[in-house]
Amino acid sequence: MTATALQAKVHPAVEGGLLLEVADLSVQTASVTSITFTDPAGTALPGYVPGSHLVVQYGDGANAYSLTGSGRHPSEYTISVLRVDDGAGGSLAMHRLAVGDLVRVSHPRSAFAPVATARHHLLIAAGIGITPMLSHARAAAERDSEATLVYVYRPGQGAHVQQARELLGPALAECTDRGSFQEELTRRLTDQKLGTHLYLCGPAAFMDTVLARARELGWPQGRLHSEPFGAAELDQGEPFTVNLARSGVTLEVPAGISLLEALENAGKGVPNMCRKGVCGECSLQVLRGAPLHRDLYLSEQEKSANTTMMCCVSRSLDQELELDL
Amino acid sequence: MCPIAMAPAAGTGPEAGFRGVIRVSFGTAAVPAAEGSAGMAGHDVRFDAADREALASLIAVLEQARVGVRLILAGPPADVAAAAAAAAACGLLEEEVTLLANESGRRLVFCAHCRTANTTVQGVGSEVDCEGCATTLAFSGHFSRRIGGYLGFAAHAEEAA
């Protein structure tokens, strides 16, 4: 990316953020590259909570990537990006970056923090899901808290395997096939001392399997923490109308445009962060109508109450929604 | 952190790695057999009271247990609260612990002035004379899960002498 790319409109997700320079690129595997950003003026960067992510703008879009450092007094931010050839283009743009390029990024955002009272952290990662776990493992090492990592990857395609080995030593279990992972998982889930918390990151189907197994083995919800980076692609949805009760404005939300984008286009932007139904920041009060909930933030109970919706991903079951806005 | 971890006395604890239901009763309380045991192995423990020794032995049992375990505590409010505080310190979450405190029975009133834990069978709203500093304490509804007791503070302190 060049200065030309930077002249593009600032994406709302990185507004008020930082302008950083690509300081280093390091190839991890055939499809994963690590990118290190620093402040062009050389100043230290804001610290962050382990498991935080950074939103990085590319062209008109923006993607969130997990930071891989511990977050304590960082002088640089490092992310690792898996190239997805048929994605929205964000990962390809990241892979085209060159040392010296300037990029707009958000401040680090925490949505996957370690539990302060945990007596042991059981980290489980699949594929590129290793990135937030590196952050957790580094933080645990610095804070002298206990962590174990189970890392599942395809043979020859494990990003950061070497770093994980150095960080964790015998506390790292590597699995390169489904069968050995299932065995390892059952063994780990049935042999954790009280006070252990589980942290999980990987493709959605992988996380569903692990969470289901954990619940089956008696793990309560409060011990399970997952980073849903691989949120399933959402369809374009049906067009609908929103009535903004307080401002007396009616807006059309066409298919393929989110309610959040429609509000922003009409100059009615609302606070938001992840823009993928995870963080809960863009919550809106619904006065009338039934939303089509597609977020991962609200509980089933909250969804069925139909009084709150996440406007970045959710749409409407009814022709019209009335919002308290 | 678990405050005191002792090796369990031989023959008293469940097997190492226990992930079933630990049913603990204090005094004459009984844990209903059906409570929370849906298809899970059970382990019963009975203590006269949640004194230091009983709590140490409960902690030792919990140290042997593994995630998946559930704990049921039954008995007088003071004993159930003390055991719940010990369980929380061992890392058990609220959703893993069922409290079956008797409606009446001994409760702990913690003196805000001399930090003595007074045991009383009176209820919230009554007055209790502190065993540590003799202050007449108002037995308030403020409950500390960590201490396992209620706040007591000088009653009538704001009345003209």
Short mmCIF file of all heavy atoms in Angstrom, two decimals, chain A residues 236 240 252-265 275 294 310-315:
data_model
loop_
_atom_site.label_atom_id
_atom_site.label_comp_id
_atom_site.label_asym_id
_atom_site.label_seq_id
_atom_site.Cartn_x
_atom_site.Cartn_y
_atom_site.Cartn_z
N GLN A 236 -26.51 -11.47 2.34
CA GLN A 236 -26.82 -10.05 2.14
C GLN A 236 -28.07 -9.60 2.88
O GLN A 236 -28.18 -8.44 3.26
CB GLN A 236 -27.02 -9.80 0.65
CG GLN A 236 -25.80 -10.10 -0.17
CD GLN A 236 -25.71 -9.16 -1.35
OE1 GLN A 236 -26.72 -8.83 -1.95
NE2 GLN A 236 -24.51 -8.70 -1.64
N PHE A 240 -35.05 -3.63 4.26
CA PHE A 240 -36.10 -3.24 5.22
C PHE A 240 -35.99 -1.74 5.50
O PHE A 240 -35.09 -1.06 5.00
CB PHE A 240 -35.98 -4.06 6.52
CG PHE A 240 -34.68 -3.90 7.28
CD1 PHE A 240 -34.60 -3.07 8.40
CD2 PHE A 240 -33.53 -4.57 6.89
CE1 PHE A 240 -33.41 -2.93 9.12
CE2 PHE A 240 -32.34 -4.42 7.58
CZ PHE A 240 -32.28 -3.61 8.70
N GLU A 252 -34.07 3.64 4.39
CA GLU A 252 -34.17 2.35 3.73
C GLU A 252 -32.84 1.63 3.92
O GLU A 252 -31.78 2.25 3.76
CB GLU A 252 -34.43 2.52 2.22
CG GLU A 252 -35.74 3.22 1.89
CD GLU A 252 -36.96 2.46 2.40
OE1 GLU A 252 -36.91 1.21 2.42
OE2 GLU A 252 -37.95 3.12 2.80
N VAL A 253 -32.89 0.35 4.27
CA VAL A 253 -31.65 -0.44 4.37
C VAL A 253 -31.70 -1.49 3.25
O VAL A 253 -32.41 -2.48 3.36
CB VAL A 253 -31.53 -1.14 5.75
CG1 VAL A 253 -30.19 -1.85 5.86
CG2 VAL A 253 -31.70 -0.14 6.87
N PRO A 254 -30.98 -1.26 2.15
CA PRO A 254 -31.03 -2.21 1.05
C PRO A 254 -30.30 -3.51 1.38
O PRO A 254 -29.48 -3.54 2.32
CB PRO A 254 -30.32 -1.48 -0.09
CG PRO A 254 -29.82 -0.18 0.45
CD PRO A 254 -30.06 -0.15 1.92
N ALA A 255 -30.54 -4.56 0.61
CA ALA A 255 -29.81 -5.81 0.77
C ALA A 255 -28.32 -5.54 0.55
O ALA A 255 -27.97 -4.71 -0.28
CB ALA A 255 -30.32 -6.84 -0.24
N GLY A 256 -27.48 -6.19 1.34
CA GLY A 256 -26.04 -6.04 1.14
C GLY A 256 -25.45 -4.85 1.88
O GLY A 256 -24.23 -4.70 1.93
N ILE A 257 -26.29 -3.98 2.45
CA ILE A 257 -25.81 -2.85 3.24
C ILE A 257 -26.27 -3.09 4.67
O ILE A 257 -27.44 -3.43 4.90
CB ILE A 257 -26.42 -1.52 2.73
CG1 ILE A 257 -26.05 -1.26 1.27
CG2 ILE A 257 -26.01 -0.36 3.62
CD1 ILE A 257 -24.62 -0.85 1.04
N SER A 258 -25.36 -2.96 5.64
CA SER A 258 -25.79 -3.20 7.02
C SER A 258 -26.54 -1.99 7.54
O SER A 258 -26.41 -0.88 7.01
CB SER A 258 -24.57 -3.48 7.89
OG SER A 258 -23.85 -2.29 8.10
N LEU A 259 -27.32 -2.21 8.61
CA LEU A 259 -28.04 -1.11 9.23
C LEU A 259 -27.05 -0.05 9.71
O LEU A 259 -27.28 1.16 9.57
CB LEU A 259 -28.90 -1.65 10.39
CG LEU A 259 -29.57 -0.64 11.30
CD1 LEU A 259 -30.42 0.36 10.52
CD2 LEU A 259 -30.44 -1.36 12.34
N LEU A 260 -25.92 -0.51 10.25
CA LEU A 260 -24.90 0.42 10.73
C LEU A 260 -24.40 1.31 9.58
O LEU A 260 -24.29 2.53 9.71
CB LEU A 260 -23.74 -0.36 11.35
CG LEU A 260 -22.51 0.43 11.79
CD1 LEU A 260 -22.87 1.49 12.83
CD2 LEU A 260 -21.43 -0.50 12.37
N GLU A 261 -24.12 0.67 8.44
CA GLU A 261 -23.65 1.45 7.29
C GLU A 261 -24.72 2.43 6.80
O GLU A 261 -24.42 3.57 6.46
CB GLU A 261 -23.25 0.50 6.13
CG GLU A 261 -21.97 -0.26 6.40
CD GLU A 261 -21.77 -1.45 5.46
OE1 GLU A 261 -22.77 -2.03 4.97
OE2 GLU A 261 -20.61 -1.82 5.23
N ALA A 262 -25.98 1.96 6.79
CA ALA A 262 -27.07 2.83 6.35
C ALA A 262 -27.18 4.04 7.27
O ALA A 262 -27.37 5.17 6.82
CB ALA A 262 -28.38 2.06 6.32
N LEU A 263 -27.02 3.82 8.57
CA LEU A 263 -27.07 4.93 9.54
C LEU A 263 -25.91 5.88 9.31
O LEU A 263 -26.07 7.10 9.32
CB LEU A 263 -27.04 4.38 10.98
CG LEU A 263 -28.28 3.62 11.45
CD1 LEU A 263 -28.01 2.91 12.77
CD2 LEU A 263 -29.47 4.57 11.60
N GLU A 264 -24.72 5.32 9.09
CA GLU A 264 -23.53 6.16 8.87
C GLU A 264 -23.68 6.98 7.59
O GLU A 264 -23.36 8.17 7.56
CB GLU A 264 -22.26 5.29 8.79
CG GLU A 264 -21.81 4.80 10.14
CD GLU A 264 -20.71 3.75 10.08
OE1 GLU A 264 -20.48 3.18 8.98
OE2 GLU A 264 -20.08 3.49 11.13
N ASN A 265 -24.22 6.35 6.53
CA ASN A 265 -24.40 7.06 5.26
C ASN A 265 -25.37 8.23 5.41
O ASN A 265 -25.28 9.21 4.70
CB ASN A 265 -24.89 6.11 4.18
CG ASN A 265 -23.82 5.09 3.80
OD1 ASN A 265 -22.64 5.31 4.08
ND2 ASN A 265 -24.21 3.98 3.20
N ARG A 275 -17.72 -4.43 14.21
CA ARG A 275 -18.54 -4.47 13.00
C ARG A 275 -18.77 -5.88 12.50
O ARG A 275 -18.95 -6.13 11.32
CB ARG A 275 -17.92 -3.60 11.89
CG ARG A 275 -17.77 -2.13 12.33
CD ARG A 275 -17.02 -1.32 11.31
NE ARG A 275 -17.88 -0.91 10.19
CZ ARG A 275 -18.56 0.22 10.15
NH1 ARG A 275 -18.52 1.06 11.17
NH2 ARG A 275 -19.28 0.53 9.09
N ARG A 294 -28.32 -11.60 14.21
CA ARG A 294 -27.25 -12.40 13.59
C ARG A 294 -25.93 -12.20 14.32
O ARG A 294 -24.87 -12.52 13.80
CB ARG A 294 -27.09 -12.00 12.11
CG ARG A 294 -28.42 -12.01 11.35
CD ARG A 294 -28.22 -12.16 9.88
NE ARG A 294 -27.59 -11.00 9.26
CZ ARG A 294 -27.34 -10.91 7.95
NH1 ARG A 294 -27.66 -11.91 7.15
NH2 ARG A 294 -26.77 -9.83 7.45
N MET A 310 -27.89 -5.56 17.49
CA MET A 310 -26.56 -5.13 17.09
C MET A 310 -26.66 -4.72 15.62
O MET A 310 -26.82 -5.58 14.74
CB MET A 310 -25.55 -6.27 17.24
CG MET A 310 -25.41 -6.76 18.66
SD MET A 310 -24.86 -5.43 19.73
CE MET A 310 -25.83 -5.78 21.18
N CYS A 311 -26.55 -3.41 15.37
CA CYS A 311 -26.88 -2.92 14.03
C CYS A 311 -25.81 -3.22 12.99
O CYS A 311 -26.02 -3.01 11.81
CB CYS A 311 -27.22 -1.45 14.07
SG CYS A 311 -25.84 -0.40 14.54
N CYS A 312 -24.65 -3.75 13.40
CA CYS A 312 -23.61 -4.04 12.41
C CYS A 312 -23.92 -5.29 11.60
O CYS A 312 -23.50 -5.40 10.45
CB CYS A 312 -22.25 -4.16 13.07
SG CYS A 312 -22.14 -5.50 14.26
N VAL A 313 -24.63 -6.25 12.18
CA VAL A 313 -24.90 -7.49 11.44
C VAL A 313 -26.39 -7.84 11.38
O VAL A 313 -26.82 -8.54 10.46
CB VAL A 313 -24.15 -8.70 12.04
CG1 VAL A 313 -22.65 -8.60 11.78
CG2 VAL A 313 -24.43 -8.86 13.52
N SER A 314 -27.16 -7.38 12.37
CA SER A 314 -28.55 -7.83 12.44
C SER A 314 -29.44 -7.00 11.53
O SER A 314 -29.16 -5.84 11.24
CB SER A 314 -29.03 -7.78 13.89
OG SER A 314 -28.28 -8.69 14.64
N ARG A 315 -30.51 -7.65 11.09
CA ARG A 315 -31.42 -6.99 10.16
C ARG A 315 -32.83 -7.06 10.73
O ARG A 315 -32.99 -7.04 11.94
CB ARG A 315 -31.29 -7.63 8.78
CG ARG A 315 -29.85 -7.61 8.25
CD ARG A 315 -29.70 -8.13 6.84
NE ARG A 315 -30.34 -7.26 5.87
CZ ARG A 315 -29.74 -6.20 5.31
NH1 ARG A 315 -28.51 -5.89 5.65
NH2 ARG A 315 -30.38 -5.46 4.43
#
